[in-house]
Amino acid sequence: MGVRRINEVIEALDTIIADSIRDKSRIGYFAVLYKKMTVAVRDSIHRNEFLDCERMERLDVAFANRYLDALEAYRGGRTVTDSWRVAFDMCGDKEPTVLQHLYVGLAAHQLLDLGIAAAEVAPGNLIGDLRGDFDHVNEIVGRLMHDMDATIGRVSPWVGVLDKVAGVQYAVANRFGIYVAREIAWRSAENLARLQSSAREPHITTMDKRTALVGRAIARPMGAIKLLAKFIRARESSDVVKTIRQLQA
């Protein structure tokens, strides 16, 4: 059935993080980031920052349930989207950097799940009414990213050096990437919203395949990017629990 309120989303993420600490699982990396973003959205709802706060909570919950359902299915050995399979399979690999884990999770959730959730919450012509609140989340993410950049810098020393040396450029690049992903998600939402639910599946399948390609490219980069990832990973801790706790700070 899934969760129904945003506070239940946060509780579910707390459980995933606790399970990840117990199991020493890298699944906790993305879960920590996702919890911080969800808390920021919840606090913005409580401050009445959105045009329709009730609708925003429904969107957040629909969005979260796609991740929670995917993780539950994966753990249960059931069918899961290609995008999330790439992200979850990657968690068993010690080679990728923390940033790679976060980016692959973000790719699956933003490029696949967000557009689907938005179209479900605002079908048909209602999708246009959602745009203002959808874009306001960009501002919330922007406010959060400064702290997240610093947190990731503590977990990943070479990323921390980059943040200090080229802080503005690094922050702009990160935020630009997320904004582009959210804009792609919005276009997907507009396309899906115009379709009847029964006609959406072929489009979602195509979205999933494209997103999985992005995830694989992040998880297994080639050439100079691969060497850079190895260089960054060399100074990161291999202690999964320690990394999760540092990300929580």
Side-chain angles (χ1 to χ4, degrees):
M1 181 179 294
V3 300
R4 299 190 180 195
R5 306 291 297 187
I6 195 166
N7 281 333
E8 293 175 23
V9 173
I10 295 168
E11 290 170 3
L13 292 170
D14 278 335
T15 298
I16 292 168
I17 294 166
D19 289 347
S20 298
I21 290 172
R22 180 196 66 205
D23 300 336
K24 300 180 181 179
S25 170
R26 296 175 187 85
I27 283 174
Y29 295 175
F30 177 74
V32 170
L33 174 64
Y34 192 18
K35 179 190 171 183
K36 289 188 176 187
M37 290 185 171
T38 303
V39 168
V41 171
R42 181 201 61 187
D43 292 347
S44 294
I45 290 172
H46 289 171
R47 290 192 295 268
N48 292 313
E49 292 184 16
F50 297 99
L51 297 172
D52 188 333
C53 290
E54 187 276 333
R55 180 185 60 194
M56 194 63 220
E57 180 165 10
R58 285 190 287 115
L59 173 57
D60 190 277
V61 169
F63 184 38
N65 272 322
R66 290 195 57 85
Y67 165 70
L68 298 173
D69 290 348
L71 181 55
E72 182 180 3
Y74 181 82
R75 286 172 165 171
R78 300 190 301 278
T79 301
V80 66
T81 60
D82 289 348
S83 303
W84 276 118
R85 183 165 295 282
V86 170
F88 295 143
D89 281 350
M90 182 183 177
C91 292
D93 189 345
K94 64 181 181 180
E95 294 302 321
T97 66
V98 172
L99 269 181
Q100 284 174 277
H101 282 286
L102 298 180
Y103 285 160
V104 173
L106 284 169
H109 210 30
Q110 299 280 340
L111 298 179
L112 178 66
D113 293 342
L114 183 54
I116 298 170
E120 290 174 351
V121 169
N125 293 331
L126 295 175
I127 193 66
D129 296 337
L130 181 62
R131 185 69 204 245
D133 283 344
F134 187 95
D135 285 348
H136 183 62
V137 176
N138 293 346
E139 298 179 30
I140 297 170
V141 170
R143 296 198 297 256
L144 182 65
M145 285 307 296
H146 177 74
D147 289 339
M148 280 307 303
D149 288 345
T151 298
I152 294 168
R154 290 193 294 271
V155 170
S156 185
W158 282 127
V159 173
V161 171
L162 176 63
D163 191 26
K164 291 178 181 177
V165 173
V168 174
Q169 295 90 334
Y170 172 62
V172 168
N174 264 339
R175 291 169 193 171
F176 179 74
I178 291 175
Y179 293 166
V180 167
R182 288 184 57 82
E183 186 61 26
I184 292 171
W186 177 254
R187 298 305 175 193
S188 297
E190 287 185 314
N191 292 333
L192 291 172
R194 298 188 184 101
L195 301 173
Q196 295 294 325
S197 297
S198 59
R200 291 176 183 174
E201 199 55 41
H203 295 268
I204 292 173
T205 298
T206 299
M207 289 165 58
D208 183 30
K209 290 184 181 301
R210 289 174 178 170
T211 301
L213 287 175
V214 173
R216 291 188 188 100
I218 297 170
R220 292 286 180 272
M222 304 295 288
I225 302 299
K226 179 179 180 179
L227 293 176
L228 177 61
K230 284 183 174 294
F231 180 70
I232 291 171
R233 180 69 184 89
R235 287 197 63 194
E236 291 183 350
S237 173
S238 293
D239 186 331
V240 174
V241 172
K242 176 182 177 183
T243 300
I244 292 173
R245 294 198 186 282
Q246 285 179 317
L247 289 171
Q248 285 181 297

